Amino acid sequence: MSYLVCHMEKYKRQDVSPVEKENERDEKYDATNPQIDGEKTKNNYHIISPQGKYIDFINERIKSLTLSRKLRSDAIYMNSFVLGSDGEFFKTLSKYEQRQFFEDCTNFFCDKYGRESIISAIVHEDETTPHMHLNFVPIINGKLCSKDLFDKKKLSILQTEFHEVVGKKYGLKRGKEGSQAKHLSTAEFKANKIIEEAEEIRQETLSYKQALDEAKDGKIARGKKDLKNQIVAVTAENKELTKRLDVAMGETLQMAKENKILQERNERIAKHLPVISRLQKEHPELYSELQKPKEKPKPFNSRFNSNYK
């Protein structure tokens, strides 16, 4: 007997793009995951196609809400469900029946949470077992709130309802609590790994920023790790400062050079002004003649040719 798979992941704003890249891959996708067969990626299909980038869709949905306060930096922007069953179950279905199964899964979530909040529902057929990634914006009572939608109790109720509406129709058993993790595809684990690494980099950056701010305030770190962070941050800041100073110094020297040339030119003009003034006064015709632009002499070959035409 096969089980109905319904596994949920929660994603913050910075996590959305890596998940989208993994979900919406095409034949050009660089698949380091051995379970992904690039030649079969063209067989992946949508039940609901994304209307542009995931994050743009999410931002538009958030704009439509009446928010009483600014969103928290750790707010959940997207919930993603991996839906399906095991390979044995899909072997019993025709291609039409398989698509109908995933359409039934999608309709269940549209009815429960609203079609307007569904970002994408894509079926992956290029891995060991067909499965669907259904992504949506967690909105309840006009606000973004994944926590209210998916606490432990509500997730259990959701799984029961999903089984009653979809699972029983296809003769599937209800998934056991906490057992769905084993059904996650390698691709999903990879997406989560990308997000974890991005979060580590973000946390490291925040640590260095905090260390630098404390150093500027004259607070010297006591712990070995904190002191190391402070030294790295100050060193990096000094390198950046040195770079900016080098640029500023170069610009200053260039300006000084140009000012010197201009000053020397002005001095030469001032030196010759009395002579020019006297020439203009005593010999106006000669002065006027000197002001006329000089004609460029014709090239030798032009003069030569004109004499023998």
Side-chain angles (χ1 to χ4, degrees):
M1 178 68 73
S2 297
Y3 287 87
L4 179 65
V5 174
C6 178
H7 177 82
M8 188 200 70
E9 290 289 340
K10 298 181 286 186
Y11 298 111
K12 300 175 185 177
R13 181 183 178 86
Q14 66 270 20
D15 305 332
V16 172
S17 291
V19 174
E20 178 182 7
K21 185 177 180 181
E22 185 78 22
N23 284 184
E24 304 295 332
R25 58 180 177 262
D26 57 20
E27 293 89 338
K28 298 178 181 178
Y29 179 73
D30 184 14
T32 55
N33 173 10
Q35 284 196 9
I36 296 177
D37 185 346
E39 294 183 359
K40 293 182 179 179
T41 299
K42 62 180 181 294
N43 298 328
N44 294 347
Y45 60 91
H46 287 91
I47 303 300
I48 294 179
S49 298
Q51 303 301 305
K53 294 290 185 182
Y54 283 16
I55 194 64
D56 293 336
F57 181 96
I58 295 169
N59 287 336
E60 286 301 313
R61 286 292 292 128
I62 292 174
K63 282 181 183 179
S64 69
L65 305 177
T66 304
L67 301 177
S68 58
R69 58 185 179 181
K70 186 178 178 181
L71 290 176
R72 292 163 54 100
S73 59
D74 61 348
I76 300 301
Y77 274 58
M78 182 175 80
N79 287 98
S80 182
F81 280 86
V82 179
L83 307 171
S85 185
D86 56 34
E88 292 303 314
F89 166 70
F90 286 107
K91 287 178 182 178
T92 66
L93 303 181
S94 66
K95 286 296 181 183
Y96 172 80
E97 290 171 330
Q98 176 184 299
R99 186 180 182 98
Q100 187 60 54
F101 167 75
F102 287 121
E103 286 182 355
D104 288 344
C105 292
T106 304
N107 290 335
F108 170 83
F109 279 86
C110 286
D111 293 341
K112 188 167 182 63
Y113 300 112
R115 168 64 181 82
E116 67 279 4
S117 292
I118 307 294
I119 305 167
S120 170
I122 183 169
V123 178
H124 285 168
E125 288 200 329
D126 58 355
E127 295 179 57
T128 306
T129 306
H131 59 275
M132 182 169 70
H133 294 267
L134 187 143
N135 309 290
F136 69 97
V137 191
I139 294 174
I140 183 172
N141 299 326
K143 65 178 182 177
L144 190 73
C145 192
S146 175
K147 185 177 180 180
D148 288 350
L149 279 173
F150 301 116
D151 58 24
K152 188 174 181 179
K153 182 178 179 180
K154 289 179 180 177
L155 273 175
S156 179
I157 293 172
L158 167 66
Q159 201 169 41
T160 299
E161 292 177 349
F162 185 46
H163 177 253
E164 288 292 324
V165 176
V166 179
K168 283 186 176 180
K169 179 179 177 180
Y170 290 89
L172 295 171
K173 280 190 174 182
R174 182 190 183 281
K176 296 178 181 179
E177 299 297 335
S179 66
Q180 289 77 24
K182 67 179 181 181
H183 295 288
L184 276 180
S185 65
T186 305
E188 186 72 9
F189 280 120
K190 183 183 172 187
N192 291 339
K193 188 65 178 175
I194 292 171
I195 291 164
E196 289 172 7
E197 290 173 354
E199 181 64 17
E200 287 176 4
I201 293 172
R202 190 177 74 85
Q203 291 296 335
E204 186 177 347
T205 302
L206 288 175
S207 296
Y208 285 140
K209 183 180 182 301
Q210 182 180 357
L212 181 62
D213 291 341
E214 289 177 353
K216 288 179 178 178
D217 292 339
K219 299 176 182 177
I220 305 301
R222 293 184 179 181
K224 185 181 291 185
K225 183 178 179 181
D226 293 338
L227 183 59
K228 180 182 177 182
N229 286 345
Q230 200 169 65
I231 293 171
V232 171
V234 172
T235 302
E237 179 77 1
N238 286 339
K239 283 183 179 178
E240 182 61 27
L241 179 61
T242 302
K243 190 187 297 182
R244 294 200 298 268
L245 287 174
D246 287 343
V247 173
M249 183 59 71
E251 292 174 351
T252 302
L253 291 173
Q254 182 63 25
M255 287 177 62
K257 184 178 179 180
E258 292 174 358
N259 286 336
K260 184 178 179 181
I261 294 171
L262 182 61
Q263 184 179 358
E264 290 174 352
R265 179 173 174 271
N266 290 337
E267 287 176 355
R268 288 197 301 271
I269 292 173
K271 183 178 179 181
H272 293 100
L273 275 178
V275 177
I276 295 171
S277 179
R278 182 179 174 186
L279 177 64
Q280 184 182 16
K281 185 177 180 181
E282 296 181 3
H283 302 282
E285 294 179 1
L286 179 59
Y287 178 80
S288 297
E289 188 68 24
L290 291 172
Q291 294 302 307
K292 293 179 182 179
K294 293 181 180 181
E295 293 184 4
K296 292 183 178 180
K298 293 182 178 180
F300 178 77
N301 60 342
S302 297
R303 295 201 305 271
F304 180 82
N305 292 335
S306 63
N307 291 334
Y308 292 92
K309 283 182 179 178

